[in-house]
Amino acid sequence: MRILIVEDEVRLAEALAQIMAEQKYQVDQVHNGADGLDYALTAQYDVIVLDVMLPKLDGLEVARRLRSAHVSTPILMLTAHDEISDKVKGLDCGADDYMTKPFDTSELLARVRALTRRQGEVVSEELAFGDLSLHLSSHCLRRGDKSVRLGFKEFEVLRLLLQNAKLVTPKDDIIAKVWGLDSEAEDNNVEVYISFLRKKLSFLASQVSIGTVRKVGYFLTTSDEPGSFGGGGMP
Ligand code: CA
């Protein structure tokens, strides 16, 4: 589970990040609305904790822009006062839930858990392509009656490729979405995980393979149709 915290009170943001890290969430924190919007549009999060009063772009505007860009990540809005109007505005802008400051951290964690469950109900449990299906909560990749469980990064990389189906997924996108914008990850990391995934596809004897477009990215293809991107794909 990956969480974005958008909160300009740095001490509060850090305290929240620490509490969530203890719960094994992967956390990114940013301290203004413009960065919050950038991060939320670029990386994939399971929940966004979004303050309303923020410099550069307020939380209501961030939520509105995310929803108009079709980002459906659940948003938990933090309001400074117990003002009904703020709550109503937040929900109108696309927030899924809100909490009034000051709040109890155990309640915050409970709400985050509830939001991730709610998302799980809406989103389909599997992504499929060709003869493959990837189960999103068990991380099992299946072909016929054979299956393998993917490691966390393998799963994230393959999930991106599956979401893009036959389109080329740029390497830079994979790095930003799987390793994060601030990471030191390089092209090599992506290549390593692509090669792990290719080994698993061949173990499953799947018709699906991962094609390469040199210096650009990767795409999925099935062996019953020739790869249309012409770039050194691997069986
Ligand atoms: Ca604030």
Side-chain angles (χ1 to χ4, degrees):
M1 288 286 168
R2 196 155 163 206
I3 301 204
L4 176 64
I5 297 171
V6 190
E7 167 59 76
D8 59 318
E9 290 166 51
V10 176
R11 269 156 64 189
L12 175 59
E14 275 170 2
L16 291 178
Q18 193 184 341
I19 289 159
M20 293 189 178
E22 283 163 11
Q23 304 294 314
K24 311 288 179 214
Y25 292 112
Q26 277 188 286
V27 185
D28 291 328
Q29 50 163 313
V30 292
H31 306 130
N32 68 68
D35 286 349
L37 182 65
D38 263 2
Y39 273 63
L41 287 174
T42 312
Q44 286 184 29
Y45 295 98
D46 296 288
V47 173
I48 299 168
V49 176
L50 180 61
D51 189 29
V52 172
M53 298 293 286
L54 287 169
K56 296 195 183 171
L57 207 59
D58 72 37
L60 299 173
E61 189 57 28
V62 172
R64 197 177 296 124
R65 293 197 195 177
L66 287 175
R67 294 310 184 229
S68 65
H70 306 291
V71 173
S72 60
T73 311
I75 295 174
L76 174 59
M77 203 134 232
L78 303 179
T79 63
H81 308 288
D82 190 7
E83 285 179 7
I84 299 293
S85 65
D86 265 5
K87 295 173 185 171
V88 172
K89 277 188 222 151
L91 296 173
D92 278 352
C93 290
D96 297 84
D97 197 2
Y98 56 82
M99 285 191 76
T100 305
K101 293 182 195 173
F103 48 78
D104 186 60
T105 53
S106 59
E107 189 185 349
L108 177 90
L109 289 171
R111 300 229 185 168
V112 165
R113 279 195 298 272
L115 285 174
T116 56
R117 273 200 300 275
R118 202 179 299 168
Q119 186 190 31
E121 283 161 14
V122 175
V123 173
S124 155
E125 266 295 275
E126 278 188 355
L127 282 172
F129 182 81
D131 57 3
L132 280 182
S133 64
L134 178 64
H135 197 264
L136 298 180
S137 47
S138 68
H139 296 192
C140 271
L141 180 64
R142 203 178 66 236
R143 203 274 311 164
D145 51 7
K146 276 177 125 174
S147 72
V148 283
R149 191 183 296 272
L150 301 183
F152 183 71
K153 298 280 191 221
E154 291 173 325
F155 167 79
E156 292 286 328
V157 171
L158 184 61
R159 177 163 75 157
L160 270 182
L161 295 177
L162 284 165
Q163 283 167 339
N164 285 340
K166 292 176 191 170
L167 301 174
V168 175
T169 304
K171 254 189 189 178
D172 290 346
D173 273 18
I174 298 177
I175 292 174
K177 291 186 176 170
V178 176
W179 278 267
L181 289 176
D182 298 332
S183 82
E184 307 275 300
E186 291 173 9
D187 288 6
N188 287 347
N189 292 55
V190 181
E191 281 161 25
V192 166
Y193 282 91
I194 292 286
S195 88
F196 290 162
L197 285 169
R198 282 178 171 146
K199 284 185 187 132
K200 295 200 167 159
L201 293 179
S202 82
F203 167 78
L204 292 172
S206 171
Q207 312 168 327
V208 176
S209 59
I210 301 172
T212 306
V213 181
R214 286 192 201 292
K215 303 201 165 147
V216 180
Y218 301 95
F219 62 97
L220 294 177
T221 182
T222 54
S223 57
D224 53 2
E225 48 183 338
S228 49
F229 295 96
M234 254 189 67

